[in-house]
Amino acid sequence: MASPLAAQEPEWLHAAALNGTPKYGPDVTHFDYVNPDAPKTGVVRMAARGGFDSFNFLPPKGHAAPGIFNIYENLMEPSLDEDDISAQYGVLADAVRFPDDYSWVEYRLNPNAKWHDGKPVTVEDVIWSFEKAIELDPQRKFYYKNVTETEVVDGNVVRFSFDTANNRELPKIMGQLFVLPKHWWEGMNAKGEKRDISKSTLEPPLGSGQYRIKDFSANRQVIYERVDDYWGKDLPIRIGTGNFEEIRYISFLDDAVQFEGFKGDQYDYHTERSSSQWAKRYDFPAIKDGRIVKEIFPDRSTGVMQGYFLNLRREKFQNPDVRRALNYAYDFETTNEIISANLLKRVNSYYSGTDLASSGLPQGKELEILEEVRDQVPPQVFTEEFKNPVGGSPKNVRANLREAVKLLRGAGYKLEGRKMIDPATGEQLSIEFLYRDKASERSLLPYSKNLESIGIKAILRLVDTSQFINRVRSRDFDATTLAIGQSLSPGNEQREYWGSEAADNASSANYGGIKNPAIDHLIEKVIFAEDRETLVAATHALDRVLLWNHYVVPQFYVDETRTARWDRFSHPENMPEYSTGFPTIWWYDEAKAAKTEALK
């Protein structure tokens, strides 16, 4: 008979979900959205931006090669077709367990898991990967800050212990860990030199995934080849995936060059992020004769805040009225009509496009949560629904600009002649907009014209990708367009995006430098929500307070994925609800490819 202590041990699970039960049981052979009989052949060419100079993604320096995660694996991975997108299934780990208070989690490694050199993936690899992640990457150190101990249990089980209880997301977070081979990174390269994981390298690293690096040209192209004896090919989460012999990533300098490369058949699959281009530039011969197929997929998997992020570390952005004035100067409606054929939607939430976006006035559980910070948030949180100013007509634009001037005057500025002057310094209010894609000027130029009409000097600063990344990392900017994607199950990452502690972390995603105790409190309410209803209410509350502090000038988003591809590929009939699945579950279709080539 089992002892009382053993009876209290949590059971091993083949999968785990944050809310409810995983869709797929332990006996499933493959997931519903794949073709288990997909042919394993052909090449797919993908585009990348800005080049690369390293195959080491861990230290936050250099530019890691596109597609590098094709060679690695997590302990567990999510499926692509569940409402609970946090549901995870075994890859390197074949089982997971945790107690009712979520104070620790254990992962049991799959005994078949192997590196490409044939050596087994071990618990020591997992622990070493975790330790190097928090040692070398401040962002990961912050993300994993609740982990107090890692230990080996029974040889093939790793345990992560936490400094807090009832954080339901922490066990799932640890399953996302990318595992690297300790023996390879601590060994010698072909020159007899000891490898150093803290440095960039162009030596192709060892992995355990479906693909490995076949060939590359730094800053130009990297080719991944399928591993024929891949250890995990029969895992339920892998059946029907990894169908290409090769995946090639080709680097381009900017969007304009990249699109011309697509038209010239230099790569196969293009995701169109420009609504203007989608509306106006797909009229070339390969579209007309059917060699290129356009297809739109609904995007229900993520929310987003895209906007002009303001650097709150600059004194001129400390006053919320100044920040709000900048929103009044942004005429989204005219820009959308003239530039984007009215295909864009205005961002009105930090979780735009999802049920996590706040609306109306707070009530019920959301109101109860907000009452806890009532004296720390703008009063409008309780009395007004947040709405962006509406432009689109000369009358509306003039009214909005007058309101912007009023707000700036209330913040202490004076309009002298055609300049908005800070009386304390005698200097004109100026804003430098940092950007790396010349196409951004289509919306930046009309915005800067509006700003200049109310006396603000707008400076447009175009830089290359590496300069842009370095300046954003070092917080050397006034304003820049950024986007923060959101999952349907927000949690610990919210500290990284908006938390006070992350504001001083140079590698964090708190680009604006938000430091607000009310927001910190609401983030914790999101993280420790005990059920979906509370999670949604807490996220609504957080969203509302972020919006009414005017940290960002909201831009636009689309709730669909617009794609174009050379007609050489097929996808399953039953596509996953939350992803295009390209190229993971697609395959090379020889009949289509032959027809497309014949049309040339």
Side-chain angles (χ1 to χ4, degrees):
M1 294 184 63
S3 69
L5 181 62
Q8 294 173 13
E9 286 289 302
E11 64 177 315
W12 286 104
L13 306 170
H14 77 286
L18 195 61
N19 300 290
T21 304
K23 175 180 178 179
Y24 297 101
D27 298 324
V28 70
T29 56
H30 63 82
F31 292 173
D32 293 343
Y33 53 81
V34 302
N35 173 8
D37 301 315
K40 305 282 188 182
T41 188
V43 174
V44 60
R45 301 166 301 166
M46 308 285 286
R49 280 282 307 280
F52 65 94
D53 55 15
S54 179
F55 289 125
N56 186 5
F57 70 87
L58 207 52
K61 53 188 175 183
H63 196 177
I68 188 62
F69 294 111
N70 283 313
I71 76 170
Y72 295 117
E73 291 173 311
N74 311 102
L75 293 168
M76 304 188 91
E77 283 184 19
S79 67
L80 302 178
D81 66 341
E82 295 184 60
D83 290 334
D84 184 350
I85 62 169
S86 67
Q88 294 181 333
Y89 298 84
V91 186
L92 290 177
D94 64 11
V96 60
R97 68 176 183 173
F98 41 83
D100 291 340
D101 67 355
Y102 305 97
S103 59
W104 55 264
V105 64
E106 289 181 352
Y107 286 94
R108 187 179 67 200
L109 294 192
N110 189 318
N112 298 318
K114 291 187 172 50
W115 300 106
H116 294 154
D117 63 1
K119 293 184 178 180
V121 178
T122 67
V123 172
E124 286 74 19
D125 290 321
V126 178
I127 293 176
W128 182 84
S129 298
F130 171 78
E131 291 175 345
K132 290 301 177 183
I134 62 175
E135 172 190 335
L136 299 174
D137 188 347
Q139 187 171 348
R140 288 181 173 86
K141 182 177 181 179
F142 184 79
Y143 193 50
Y144 294 133
K145 70 176 187 175
N146 293 114
V147 180
T148 58
E149 186 180 8
T150 58
E151 57 186 310
V152 180
V153 182
D154 295 334
N156 72 329
V157 174
V158 59
R159 173 183 283 205
F160 298 95
S161 298
F162 309 128
D163 64 3
T164 185
N166 301 314
N167 186 332
R168 300 164 68 242
E169 192 183 31
L170 279 177
K172 315 298 187 302
I173 285 175
M174 304 319 300
Q176 300 166 3
L177 180 71
F178 279 102
V179 180
L180 284 70
K182 177 182 179 182
H183 71 280
W184 189 87
W185 281 102
E186 292 190 340
M188 302 288 186
N189 63 21
K191 298 179 180 179
E193 302 165 335
K194 186 173 176 58
R195 299 185 180 98
D196 186 348
I197 197 168
S198 69
K199 297 180 179 179
S200 299
T201 180
L202 283 172
E203 179 186 10
L206 183 71
S208 64
Q210 292 174 288
Y211 289 87
R212 61 182 160 218
I213 296 171
K214 176 183 179 181
D215 197 8
F216 72 95
S217 176
N219 282 316
R220 294 187 177 184
Q221 176 177 258
V222 57
I223 302 173
Y224 299 90
E225 63 178 354
R226 193 176 66 243
V227 177
D228 290 332
D229 59 350
Y230 167 57
W231 70 271
K233 60 184 177 181
D234 295 324
L235 292 173
I237 200 168
R238 291 289 184 253
I239 295 292
T241 71
N243 301 319
F244 293 98
E245 287 286 349
E246 290 183 2
I247 303 177
R248 301 179 183 177
Y249 290 84
I250 303 161
S251 293
F252 294 88
L253 291 176
D254 57 45
D255 282 348
V257 174
Q258 180 177 318
F259 188 64
E260 290 304 313
F262 176 66
K263 290 165 61 177
D265 198 10
Q266 293 182 35
Y267 66 97
D268 295 302
Y269 186 91
H270 183 74
T271 300
E272 185 55 72
R273 294 178 175 85
S274 167
S275 294
S276 171
Q277 193 149 287
W278 184 256
K280 301 173 183 178
R281 296 190 60 186
Y282 284 79
D283 58 354
F284 47 92
I287 290 282
K288 294 177 179 178
D289 63 23
R291 286 176 292 155
I292 288 179
V293 177
K294 294 172 68 179
E295 188 168 5
I296 295 176
F297 299 90
D299 184 0
R300 296 186 57 236
S301 63
T302 57
V304 68
M305 164 52 80
Q306 176 175 305
Y308 294 110
F309 277 59
L310 307 173
N311 190 350
L312 305 179
R313 303 168 187 85
R314 304 280 202 259
E315 187 175 348
K316 58 190 167 186
F317 296 132
Q318 288 292 309
N319 192 312
D321 284 343
V322 172
R323 304 194 295 265
R324 188 176 188 184
L326 299 181
N327 195 7
Y328 272 96
Y330 179 58
D331 180 10
F332 163 76
E333 287 73 20
T334 300
T335 301
N336 189 28
E337 179 182 3
I338 294 175
I339 297 175
S340 302
N342 285 319
L343 293 175
L344 298 172
K345 295 182 178 180
R346 184 79 195 268
V347 165
N348 61 357
S349 164
Y350 280 71
Y351 308 86
S352 290
T354 74
D355 66 345
L356 300 168
S358 59
S359 62
L361 294 178
Q363 54 187 312
K365 190 167 287 192
E366 179 190 354
L367 181 58
E368 292 176 16
I369 293 170
L370 284 168
E371 288 290 354
E372 299 175 15
V373 293
R374 179 181 276 273
D375 61 344
Q376 298 175 287
V377 304
Q380 297 96 325
V381 165
F382 297 92
T383 60
E384 296 180 45
E385 179 181 10
F386 180 87
K387 292 184 179 180
N388 287 302
V390 177
S393 70
K395 179 181 178 181
N396 286 353
V397 171
R398 284 194 300 270
N400 288 340
L401 292 175
R402 283 196 295 269
E403 183 64 24
V405 171
K406 180 180 176 181
L407 287 165
L408 290 167
R409 283 174 171 158
Y413 286 89
K414 292 183 178 180
L415 189 58
E416 296 181 0
R418 300 178 65 88
K419 295 182 179 181
M420 190 64 67
I421 300 296
D422 180 355
T425 63
E427 296 180 355
Q428 182 183 12
L429 176 59
S430 66
I431 303 174
E432 181 184 85
F433 290 89
L434 185 71
Y435 61 105
R436 58 177 170 175
D437 182 4
K438 194 168 179 61
S440 300
E441 294 175 359
R442 289 198 297 266
S443 57
L444 260 176
L445 287 170
Y447 185 33
S448 64
K449 183 178 179 181
N450 283 353
L451 292 172
E452 288 169 356
S453 73
I454 58 174
I456 299 174
K457 183 179 181 181
I459 303 165
L460 307 188
R461 185 72 64 201
L462 176 64
V463 297
D464 62 30
T465 297
S466 61
Q467 284 181 289
F468 180 85
I469 292 172
N470 288 334
R471 286 191 60 177
V472 171
R473 280 179 179 170
S474 62
R475 311 314 192 201
D476 181 19
F477 67 93
D478 283 348
T480 187
T481 296
L482 295 167
I484 298 290
Q486 295 281 3
S487 80
L488 300 182
S489 294
N492 290 263
E493 77 287 343
Q494 303 302 302
R495 293 171 177 161
E496 168 82 5
Y497 298 158
W498 330 115
S500 296
E501 190 177 343
D504 296 325
N505 182 345
S507 296
S508 80
N510 188 347
Y511 302 110
I514 297 170
K515 288 185 176 182
N516 186 318
I519 287 172
D520 293 337
H521 180 81
L522 294 173
I523 289 171
E524 297 306 299
K525 300 295 282 190
V526 170
I527 291 172
F528 288 95
E530 66 271 13
D531 52 43
R532 180 70 186 178
E533 180 187 2
T534 306
L535 175 68
V536 172
T539 307
H540 285 170
L542 173 61
D543 182 38
R544 203 180 295 274
V545 173
L546 285 166
L547 288 168
W548 276 111
N549 275 285
H550 310 289
Y551 295 127
V552 172
V553 178
Q555 292 181 337
F556 42 78
Y557 75 102
V558 293
D559 54 6
E560 58 189 18
T561 302
R562 300 162 183 156
T563 71
R565 65 182 184 272
W566 286 86
D567 194 18
R568 303 181 176 107
F569 313 99
S570 289
H571 62 68
E573 261 186 58
N574 181 27
M575 287 291 283
E577 197 168 359
Y578 296 105
S579 174
T580 64
F582 192 89
T584 306
I585 63 174
W586 293 54
W587 62 90
Y588 187 81
D589 190 314
E590 292 184 341
K592 288 182 178 179
K595 182 178 178 181
T596 296
E597 296 300 318
L599 286 171
K600 285 189 175 181

